Amino acid sequence: EAGVTQFPSHSVIEKGQTVTLRCDPISGHDNLYWYRRVMGKEIKFLLHFVKESKQDESGMPNNRFLAERTGGTYSTLKVQPAELEDSGVYFCASSQDPWTSGYNEQFFGPGTRLTVL
Amino acid sequence: DQQVKQNSPSLSVQEGRISILNCDYTNSMFDYFLWYKKYPAEGPTFLISISSIKDKNEDGRFTVFLNKSAKHLSLHIVPSQPGDSAVYFCAASARDNYGQNFVFGPGTRLSVLP
């Protein structure tokens, strides 16, 4: 079974440009999460989708970040316009419905390393 | 304010000995805890978890201990192997209506020396 995949693996852009990150969760996982790790610090929650709906977006830093999950499958995270402080590694994770499966484990993708110059 | 703390940024252990990684949390609503291991250029991978109704969970060489009164958990790896060298993240969550959002600690880099 394929794991969580993310594209691209690396992205280098200039300040003010736009970047779109993509995440493909494990098939059948309703829950999809975006996290960010900046400067080697802790991994911080950004937002959580249940199917196509945003369940919790309390971690989104500002309105330059837009996440979508049309159709409840893959998700995109767009940063527009990018700023220097947006540099970091963006992780996507997915999980089954914990209430029916009993599992709470989140499976992480390899991350997208974003560098804003 | 950091809700999940890992006060040791790094730890070195001799191969074959025990590695003990510590984690403290401040939010008393947390009821589920996990440890993730991360190699360079890879995403975190799940290692072991524990729910707040237990105080110990064991899986092979890995054991997680939870002390709710102290808001402290620890991961024991015994015996430690060079392949265990990685960054270990402690994560915690509080069950909400649907799904769980994890709060991660800053990580501890474990080096197992041959």
Side-chain angles (χ1 to χ4, degrees), chain A residues 30-31 33 35 37 40-45 48 50-51 55-56 91 97-99 104-111, chain B residues 2 32 34 36 38 41-46 87 89 93 95-107 109:
Chain A
D30 287 342
N31 295 285
Y33 307 82
Y35 291 88
R37 189 180 189 209
K41 295 185 179 177
E42 69 268 28
I43 300 168
K44 283 197 171 179
F45 167 79
H48 169 208
V50 176
K51 297 184 180 177
Q55 178 71 18
D56 182 351
F91 292 105
D97 172 6
W99 301 103
N104 298 300
E105 174 189 345
Q106 293 179 17
F107 296 83
F108 279 76
Chain B
Q2 222 170 42
Y32 190 72
L34 307 90
Y36 277 82
K38 185 184 178 307
E42 294 183 10
T45 55
F46 170 75
V87 178
F89 292 96
S93 69
R95 189 176 292 273
D96 54 22
N97 291 333
Y98 203 105
Q100 297 191 350
N101 305 325
F102 294 164
V103 178
F104 282 84
R109 181 178 301 278

Side-chain angles (χ1 to χ4, degrees), chain A residues 3 27 31 37 59 63-64 71 74 76 82:
Chain A
S27 176
N31 295 285
R37 189 180 189 209
N63 59 10
R64 295 186 293 103
Y74 70 91
T76 57

Side-chain angles (χ1 to χ4, degrees), chain B residues 4-61:
Chain B
V4 177
K5 301 175 185 180
Q6 294 177 255
N7 292 322
S8 297
S10 63
L11 174 69
S12 291
V13 170
Q14 208 68 34
E15 179 180 4
R17 306 293 285 268
I18 184 171
S19 295
I20 300 176
L21 296 101
N22 293 303
C23 176
D24 297 284
Y25 61 95
T26 58
N27 188 342
S28 57
M29 299 300 291
F30 287 148
D31 58 6
Y32 190 72
F33 305 89
L34 307 90
W35 284 93
Y36 277 82
K37 178 169 73 172
K38 185 184 178 307
Y39 293 118
E42 294 183 10
T45 55
F46 170 75
L47 199 56
I48 192 168
S49 64
I50 188 167
S51 123
S52 59
I53 62 173
K54 295 186 174 182
D55 54 20
K56 176 183 174 181
N57 188 25
E58 198 170 347
D59 183 2
R61 297 185 298 113

Side-chain angles (χ1 to χ4, degrees), chain B residues 63-81:
Chain B
T63 303
V64 56
F65 294 92
L66 175 62
N67 182 335
K68 288 186 290 294
S69 61
K71 295 192 179 68
H72 175 84
L73 65 156
S74 61
L75 174 68
H76 292 210
I77 307 173
V78 57
S80 301
Q81 299 173 353

Side-chain angles (χ1 to χ4, degrees), chain A residues 17-33:
Chain A
Q17 289 186 320
T18 298
V19 63
T20 300
L21 315 181
R22 173 172 170 144
C23 168
D24 287 80
I26 293 172
S27 176
H29 281 192
D30 287 342
N31 295 285
L32 188 149
Y33 307 82

